Amino acid sequence: MTVARSAEFVNGVIKAYDVRGVVGEQIDAEFVADVGASFARLMRGEGAARIVIGHDMRESSPALAAAFADGVTAQGLDVVHIGLASTDQLYFASGDLGCPGAMFTASHNPAEYNGIKLCRAKALPVGQDTGLATIKQEMIDGVPGHDGARGTATEINLLPDYAKFLRGLVDLDNIRPLTIAVDAGNGMGGYTVPEVLGTLPQVTIVPLYFELDGSFPNHEANPLDPKNLVDLQALVRKSGADIGLAFDGDADRCFVVDENGDPVSPSAVTALVAERELAKEPGAVVIHNLITSQAVPELVTELGGTPVRTRVGHSFIKQEMAATGAVFGGEHSAHYYFRDFWGADSGMLAALHVLAALGEKDRPMSELMSSYATYAASGEINSTVADAKERTMTVLEAFESRAHSVDRLDGVTVQLADNAWFNLRASNTEPLLRLNVEARSPEEVDALVTEILSIVRS
């Protein structure tokens, strides 16, 4: 039996759909070894015999991955180490090898953080209601020991297989020559992009911050924050690139800027990829989370597909992908999910779709994407608050007379006149209240943002 821990401590580290915390304060070798042991027990109960483990470029990641592996093998399961990997490369390994997986990364969080993303065999999700609550309780009570023999550990390199698999899903053979500026943010994109895109004869890569460095010396590897796109935007303009791509720290998300250096909404990318997937499979289901632009379900419906709205978070969307058989799913945060990729998310696969769409037509990226941008949006605006629930209720009271409808699928979404809406929801991983607003015009968006933030931040 491992050491027991307080519920308050464990609840602060094991979140709604992953494990995440500050290294040395919340996350250490002993903690992750016990998570590994508990996860192994859970997976052994479901018939698994081995677990594949990958890690990002953070300084703490290799040691934490090794400690997790010790916890797994102590429970009698084998471990397959794939070493340095993007998160979607870990999902590929889980799908290709047919075994559960653990990815050590804190994604876009600052350097002092680390964490674990867990999945079942074939990249099926492990979230609060599908395993994390069980692990959490064992971390509180103490993880029971195992009387049998220890498992073994082996190492393999799956990067070439991952790259070949992705390129096999999107036909890029006949695209026109493209110059692509890529900001890897010193994250795992610097490892995977050369393998996936660097071998394509029609593609010229202009690299930025490809050096793997978990201290993130140039900017945070979080392209959702506009300030972290500035260097890429400048590079696109300077180099005359046809398109710019930015990856987050674990390279499972991909953000796009056009040839003018202007950001392309992830909702527009969702619409573009949905159109491509529905062309291959008319009438299919497409998932979108509740923050995604309403242009997405409108387009899916227009094309004869079935849009399904879900809450934010990869484990929730993966569950919905599996339940509905959806061909594709997209989030406002630039997570893109593919049935052909075991229902898991891959920023790289989304990037290949965007490059194919751009390369198949003789027009610039800005023109290609203009048809998908039918609404103005605020993007996600975060406010640090200690009383998210109370402030949300105050906002609701202020909009009560104007609200056409209110739903609570994830936080609160308020529908207003003329297709305007806003959503307020508390972060699952940080002490933040997140605001998203959409309306017909930028002026209406700005007015709503100003009004709502004046209440939230008062």
Side-chain angles (χ1 to χ4, degrees):
M1 181 80 72
T2 65
V3 63
R5 296 174 173 85
S6 74
E8 181 181 8
F9 178 83
V10 173
N11 288 331
V13 183
I14 300 182
K15 312 291 187 179
Y17 40 80
D18 64 9
V19 179
R20 198 173 303 194
V22 177
V23 176
E25 296 178 14
Q26 298 169 299
I27 298 280
D28 59 20
E30 182 182 29
F31 185 89
V32 301
D34 292 351
V35 173
S38 181
F39 183 57
R41 281 171 45 81
L42 180 67
M43 294 298 100
R44 186 175 63 223
E46 298 180 7
R50 60 178 177 170
I51 292 172
V52 61
I53 301 174
H55 65 79
D56 70 10
M57 68 294 137
R58 291 168 188 264
E59 184 178 355
S60 60
S61 290
L64 292 177
F68 184 92
D70 284 342
V72 171
T73 55
Q75 289 289 332
L77 270 67
D78 295 334
V79 162
V80 179
H81 287 285
I82 62 170
L84 280 169
S86 62
T87 291
D88 68 324
Q89 187 185 337
L90 185 279
Y91 293 148
F92 165 78
S94 173
D96 189 55
L97 300 176
C99 65
M103 176 66 192
F104 276 80
T105 181
S107 185
H108 63 279
N109 287 127
E112 63 268 23
Y113 284 81
N114 215 322
I116 320 167
K117 294 181 178 180
L118 301 170
C119 66
R120 288 177 165 79
K122 303 295 182 181
L124 291 173
V126 176
Q128 181 67 24
D129 299 328
T130 54
L132 283 182
T134 301
I135 294 172
K136 184 183 295 186
Q137 193 59 52
E138 287 199 342
M139 296 295 288
I140 294 169
D141 297 338
V143 183
H146 175 61
D147 294 333
R150 290 186 68 95
T152 62
T154 56
E155 298 180 6
I156 58 174
N157 176 19
L158 288 179
L159 180 61
D161 294 339
Y162 155 82
K164 181 179 179 181
F165 181 82
L166 289 185
R167 290 195 299 267
L169 295 177
V170 182
D171 184 6
L172 293 164
D173 290 341
N174 298 311
I175 64 170
R176 63 185 171 89
L178 295 174
T179 298
I180 309 168
V182 181
D183 182 352
N186 299 111
M188 291 311 303
Y191 182 69
T192 58
V193 167
E195 189 75 23
V196 178
L197 300 181
T199 60
L200 298 173
Q202 309 94 321
V203 167
T204 299
I205 298 174
V206 184
L208 183 65
Y209 309 144
F210 271 38
E211 304 78 18
L212 300 184
D213 189 337
S215 69
F216 306 114
N218 296 291
H219 60 69
E220 284 189 354
N222 180 18
L224 191 61
D225 187 335
K227 71 175 182 289
N228 297 321
L229 285 177
V230 171
D231 292 352
L232 176 63
Q233 292 171 297
L235 179 62
V236 168
R237 296 174 185 129
K238 179 180 179 180
S239 65
D242 297 290
I243 186 175
L245 304 176
F247 292 89
D248 65 345
D250 60 337
D252 62 348
R253 291 189 293 161
C254 179
F255 291 75
V256 179
V257 300
D258 67 20
E259 79 284 357
N260 301 313
D262 295 327
V264 175
S265 162
S267 289
V269 173
T270 297
L272 180 149
V273 179
E275 185 172 31
R276 289 175 57 83
E277 294 287 29
L278 287 170
K280 293 189 296 184
E281 188 170 329
V285 172
V286 172
I287 305 291
H288 64 99
N289 76 15
L290 54 84
I291 308 300
T292 307
S293 172
Q294 58 196 338
V296 172
E298 289 173 358
L299 176 69
V300 170
T301 301
E302 179 184 327
L303 294 173
T306 303
V308 174
R309 180 174 177 264
T310 187
R311 63 182 298 188
V312 175
H314 74 94
S315 64
F316 308 120
I317 292 199
K318 287 172 184 173
Q319 290 171 35
E320 201 66 34
M321 291 282 292
T324 62
V327 68
F328 173 65
E331 290 198 270
H332 71 294
S333 55
H335 282 286
Y336 305 105
Y337 305 79
F338 298 85
R339 188 178 62 196
D340 291 343
F341 197 70
W342 299 281
D345 44 325
S346 173
M348 190 70 73
L349 183 50
L352 291 175
H353 274 284
V354 173
L355 294 177
L358 178 61
E360 289 165 2
K361 297 178 175 64
D362 189 20
R363 51 178 174 158
M365 187 68 188
S366 58
E367 186 177 324
L368 175 68
M369 301 307 297
S370 61
S371 61
Y372 303 109
T374 53
Y375 294 92
S378 65
E380 195 150 84
I381 302 169
N382 295 319
S383 301
T384 302
V385 298
D387 54 348
K389 184 176 180 180
E390 291 78 3
R391 289 174 190 258
T392 299
M393 293 306 298
T394 303
V395 172
L396 280 177
E397 291 170 5
F399 280 86
E400 186 175 8
S401 63
R402 286 180 278 168
H404 286 206
S405 65
V406 176
D407 78 57
R408 291 176 170 81
L409 176 62
D410 194 351
V412 294
T413 302
V414 178
Q415 192 74 38
L416 303 169
D418 197 25
N419 283 346
W421 60 268
F422 69 86
N423 173 272
L424 273 173
R425 64 183 182 90
S427 167
N428 286 309
T429 58
E430 300 167 89
L432 300 173
L433 187 59
R434 305 191 190 279
L435 170 66
N436 283 269
V437 176
E438 184 172 80
R440 290 289 185 183
S441 69
E443 294 76 18
E444 187 176 359
V445 168
D446 291 344
L448 284 169
V449 167
T450 298
E451 182 178 2
I452 296 166
L453 290 184
S454 69
I455 300 170
V456 169
R457 296 176 177 177
S458 62

